[in-house]
Amino acid sequence: MTQRPLQITIMNDYELVVAGVIAMLKPYADRVGVVEVDAHERPALPVDIVLFDTFGSTSSLTAVVKHIERHCLADRVVLYTWEPTPQAVSAARSAGINALISKALPASELVEALEQIHQASGFVVRSDPAGPVDELGSQPNRCHDWPGSTAQLSMREAEMVALICQGKSNSDIAQQTSLSPNSVKAYIRSAYRKMGVTTRAQAVAWGISHGFLPQPCRLHLADP
C-alpha cells in the first residue's frame, strides 16, 4: 500500500510568500503537496502540520496556536522563520508550537524536516548550519519570494514595509520582530532608499501599490 503524502497547510496572509513555499515543495509532490483551504472551517481532509510563516504577521504566537486549535486544523504547528534564535525557540515552546524550521534550509531539507517533525514526539529545531541572515536581511535561499523583492527589498526590509502598511509604529515593529529600535530604523531607511520615498505616508502608498496589504488569512492543505 502506497503511503499518502504528508498533508501540510501554510499559514500566511501574503500570496507571494505562500507561492514561494509552494514552489519549493512542488518537486516533492509525492511526499508533500499544497492546496488552499478556508482558514475558518474545519478541513475536509486530515492535516498533519500547519507551517506558520512569520512574514508580516502581527499576531502573537499564542494567538496563532489558539486559532489552529479552535478550528481543529492540525495536531502539529511549525514556526517557519529566517531567525532560528534561542529566543525564537523559547517563544515557540512557550506558545505551544511543536517545532521551528529555518527558512534558509533548501527544499530537500525542508521536506526532510517536515517528515521528521511529523514522527517526532518532542520539540524539533532544524536550522541552517551557515547561520542567520546578515545585517541587511539578505538570504542565500532564493526559492522564497515576498512583496517588494522585485524592487530589491531584502526580506527584512520588506517586512518593515508590510508592518508599516498595517499601521504599526517603529516601537510596535521592534516588539513584533524582536529587533532593536535602531535596527528597525536602519531597515526602514534602507527600504525607503530603494523605494524612492521619504515619508511614512509615501511608504504606505508605495506598499499598497506593490502588494503589501495582507489578505484575510488563508491556509493551504496538501492533496492526499
Side-chain angles (χ1 to χ4, degrees), residues 19-89:
V21 181
I22 292 173
M24 287 182 67
L25 295 175
K26 188 174 181 179
Y28 302 89
D30 59 327
R31 295 161 68 183
V32 180
V34 187
V35 297
E36 187 171 353
V37 296
D38 192 315
H40 301 288
E41 295 180 2
R42 182 175 298 186
L45 299 173
V47 181
D48 299 308
I49 294 173
V50 171
L51 190 66
F52 174 55
D53 192 306
T54 58
F55 179 89
S57 174
T58 59
S59 300
S60 70
L61 296 182
T62 301
V64 169
V65 172
K66 286 183 177 179
H67 173 88
I68 292 168
E69 291 176 345
R70 186 181 307 118
H71 295 282
C72 302
L73 296 174
D75 292 329
R76 293 187 175 276
V77 185
V78 176
L79 183 65
Y80 194 41
T81 176
W82 283 113
E83 297 187 344
T85 61
Q87 293 85 351
V89 171

Side-chain angles (χ1 to χ4, degrees), residues 171-189:
S171 177
D172 294 333
I173 294 172
Q175 183 175 7
Q176 187 69 35
T177 59
S178 299
L179 292 171
S180 71
N182 285 338
S183 293
V184 169
K185 290 177 183 177
Y187 285 128
I188 291 174
R189 283 196 298 267

Side-chain angles (χ1 to χ4, degrees), residues 10 15-28 53 80 82 102-111 138-147 149 155:
I10 303 169
E15 190 67 39
L16 273 177
V17 173
V18 173
V21 181
I22 292 173
M24 287 182 67
L25 295 175
K26 188 174 181 179
Y28 302 89
D53 192 306
Y80 194 41
W82 283 113
S102 169
K103 287 188 179 183
L105 291 182
S108 60
E109 293 184 32
L110 170 60
V111 172
S138 301
Q139 307 82 17
N141 188 349
R142 296 302 302 176
C143 294
H144 290 280
D145 203 356
W146 54 85
S149 59
M155 175 277 303

Side-chain angles (χ1 to χ4, degrees), residues 149-181:
S149 59
T150 56
Q152 305 305 311
L153 294 185
S154 72
M155 175 277 303
R156 200 49 119 173
E157 292 164 351
E159 190 165 29
M160 301 299 107
V161 178
L163 294 172
I164 286 172
C165 287
Q166 295 178 65
K168 299 301 179 182
S169 67
N170 285 12
S171 177
D172 294 333
I173 294 172
Q175 183 175 7
Q176 187 69 35
T177 59
S178 299
L179 292 171
S180 71

